[in-house]
Amino acid sequence: MLKPNMHYAELKDSYLFYNISQKTKAYLEKHPGAKLYRLGIGDVSLPLCGAVIQALHEAVDDQSKKETFHGYMPECGAPFLRETIADYYRARGVKLLPDEVFVSSGASDELGDILDLFDKSNAAMVIEPAYPAYVDANIMAGRNIVHLASGRENGFLPEPDESLQAEILYICSPNNPTGAVFDKEKLKKWVDFANKTGAVIIFDAAYEAYIEDETLPHSIFEIEGARTCAIEICSLSKTAGFTGTRLGYTVIPLELERCGMHLNAMWVRNRTTKTNGVSYILQKGGSAVFTPEGQRQIKENIAVYKQNARFLMETLDSLGVWYCGGKNAPYIWMKCPNDMSGWEFFDLLLSEIQVVGTPGEGFGDCGKGYFRFSTFGSPEDTKEAAARLAQLLRGL
Ligand code: PLP
């Protein structure tokens, strides 16, 4: 009889979004027609920008003519997009070869697939609270997880120490859910640690476009030494509204090597075996993001989400509530008032002011007592939610 991958039985059920939807559904059944202010979603609300739409249309037309039709695309990405992305990094002082950039169908796919490069015996370190995919993808693969708790005392940006025993190190900066961002000095400590121990950092840069403070690194490759110890996974989902369209990229430097195996060459072999490339149409649409006009337009959209963040931050600042994130990330991570748990605060917000957010417990045990607001909603709703939040918290 076939033996399934029994590691799936070790996965913890994630009740987070299920519970949120059950609770909001129950509230709406009791209060038909009530308006909810949804600040829980991690999905964008603004459409693709005009430059992308135009490029997508043109690419569809290309597919209609014999002379411009494209069949299978190169598995690792179209040269035009790999070069464009390498130029995007170059503008920030990071030199990459196009061959070091792999076009993907998004960060989630890559975060799971990239694990093919590593032996099962490696342990994976996950800084918690964390985006749940890191833990689950490694459990499915049968790996041990080292949970590294972070907290308010270190600004949710822990440092490595000698006792840490893991070969795969996940770092997400700007972070989901905390919005915390590693500065160059703190990130260098992780790079030095990985180079010293032979570990590899999987750097999730899905929110790099939200960094405002230009002293903060958008890419781990801004840090000296990263080319020998890091893989960077990036996405156009939150940068340019590609959550439903799907496009991302992964950077694997040519120097990255362990036990005589070059990870870039291994990934080429993996992609050529397991994929037939990302569609021409999407890659054309994605390349428009990196044109000057595309950059101007996506920044306009990001500015809307940043204004949402300001509505919430001003409220929390005026009340003296502790939070991190918001300035360089699309998430705000606040301490719940009066030692409430995240779920207690969730219930309070829903019943009293009809605001829906995400309890910190959903991102790991050390998220208990915290709450995440996403800034991807509409400005009108976010402004109203912030006003309601201010009134509620003042009265507690
Ligand atoms: N990484 C982080 C930290 C995320 O928050 C998300 C999505 O919310 C992803 C990766 C997945 O991005 P994509 O839409 O490219 O799969």
Side-chain angles (χ1 to χ4, degrees):
M1 198 195 321
L2 174 130
K3 186 171 177 221
N5 179 347
M6 294 308 289
H7 295 298
Y8 279 64
E10 295 158 24
L11 292 166
K12 278 201 201 142
D13 280 334
S14 171
Y15 294 115
L16 179 67
F17 291 105
Y18 178 74
N19 279 355
I20 291 175
S21 77
Q22 288 301 101
K23 279 173 181 275
T24 47
K25 199 170 142 222
Y27 181 85
L28 287 173
E29 272 163 18
K30 255 186 153 177
H31 305 86
K35 165 142 177 76
L36 295 184
Y37 298 88
R38 294 182 191 271
L39 272 54
I41 47 157
D43 200 353
V44 292
S45 55
L46 292 170
L48 293 169
C49 66
V52 169
I53 293 294
Q54 189 185 335
L56 289 170
H57 279 298
E58 285 168 7
V60 170
D61 288 342
D62 287 347
Q63 293 297 70
S64 73
K65 288 172 252 152
K66 196 162 183 288
E67 310 75 57
T68 50
F69 168 77
H70 287 76
Y72 286 127
M73 296 298 288
E75 295 88 346
C76 299
F80 66 79
L81 184 52
R82 300 178 89 183
E83 278 159 25
T84 299
I85 295 170
D87 288 346
Y88 175 69
Y89 276 83
R90 193 168 306 118
R92 207 173 293 117
V94 175
K95 281 195 202 129
L96 296 180
L97 293 170
D99 283 352
E100 295 175 316
V101 178
F102 295 82
V103 176
S104 76
S105 298
S108 277
D109 312 44
E110 295 286 278
L111 285 164
D113 292 352
I114 204 84
L115 295 174
D116 276 5
L117 298 183
F118 310 124
D119 191 80
K120 302 265 183 290
S121 63
N122 296 300
M125 177 213 73
V126 176
I127 297 174
E128 292 187 344
Y131 179 62
Y134 310 144
V135 169
D136 288 354
N138 279 287
I139 289 182
M140 287 174 188
R143 267 192 205 91
N144 283 335
I145 314 285
V146 176
H147 301 268
L148 180 64
S150 68
R152 194 171 155 177
E153 66 291 347
N154 53 26
F156 290 93
L157 299 168
E159 291 183 5
D161 73 53
E162 298 305 318
S163 68
L164 180 65
Q165 296 218 332
E167 292 75 26
I168 304 169
L169 310 173
Y170 285 90
I171 298 182
C172 177
S173 177
N175 189 272
N176 178 12
T178 66
V181 188
F182 278 92
D183 64 21
K184 288 187 177 161
E185 202 185 319
K186 288 203 175 86
L187 201 50
K188 175 85 171 105
K189 290 189 180 159
W190 281 103
V191 166
D192 290 347
F193 176 81
N195 277 324
K196 192 169 151 209
T197 61
V200 168
I201 297 172
I202 308 281
F203 191 74
D204 184 340
Y207 297 102
E208 64 83 15
Y210 288 80
I211 293 176
E212 259 176 43
D213 176 349
E214 281 308 322
T215 65
L216 296 172
H218 289 241
S219 162
I220 195 163
F221 298 113
E222 290 176 49
I223 311 299
E224 202 195 323
R227 287 183 61 85
T228 50
C229 69
I231 290 175
E232 181 156 296
I233 294 186
C234 209
S235 162
L236 293 188
S237 282
K238 309 300 162 68
T239 302
F242 272 67
T243 50
T245 307
R246 313 301 303 144
L247 201 68
Y249 49 92
T250 296
V251 178
I252 309 183
L254 292 175
E255 288 96 314
L256 184 56
E257 172 259 307
R258 294 288 180 270
C259 304
M261 302 286 282
H262 288 265
L263 273 62
N264 181 295
M266 287 168 71
W267 195 235
V268 172
R269 189 60 199 254
N270 182 295
R271 295 293 84 183
T272 51
T273 305
K274 294 196 171 183
T275 78
N276 263 328
V278 176
S279 96
Y280 167 74
I281 297 168
L282 295 187
Q283 295 197 63
K284 273 294 197 191
S287 69
V289 168
F290 299 96
T291 61
E293 184 53 18
Q295 286 289 300
R296 193 190 63 71
Q297 292 179 5
I298 62 157
K299 282 182 184 145
E300 268 179 19
N301 285 2
I302 290 174
V304 172
Y305 302 137
K306 285 195 163 287
Q307 178 55 49
N308 286 346
R310 279 195 293 277
F311 288 139
L312 291 161
M313 289 193 293
E314 277 160 20
T315 292
L316 298 176
D317 285 338
S318 71
L319 295 163
V321 175
W322 188 91
Y323 68 92
C324 60
K327 186 167 187 314
N328 297 296
Y331 298 111
I332 292 174
W333 180 252
M334 69 169 275
K335 179 91 186 76
C336 299
N338 303 342
D339 289 327
M340 281 183 192
S341 74
W343 280 115
E344 284 167 341
F345 193 52
F346 176 92
D347 290 337
L348 181 76
L349 294 191
L350 178 60
S351 63
E352 298 301 315
I353 58 172
Q354 294 73 55
V355 169
V356 181
T358 312
E361 285 90 322
F363 302 99
D365 288 345
C366 58
K368 191 159 194 262
Y370 291 89
F371 202 75
R372 189 193 78 170
F373 288 117
S374 143
T375 62
F376 291 122
S378 81
E380 299 72 27
D381 280 10
T382 311
K383 194 174 178 188
E384 177 61 21
R388 287 171 173 236
L389 185 66
Q391 207 178 7
L392 177 80
L393 292 179
R394 256 187 225 114
L396 285 183

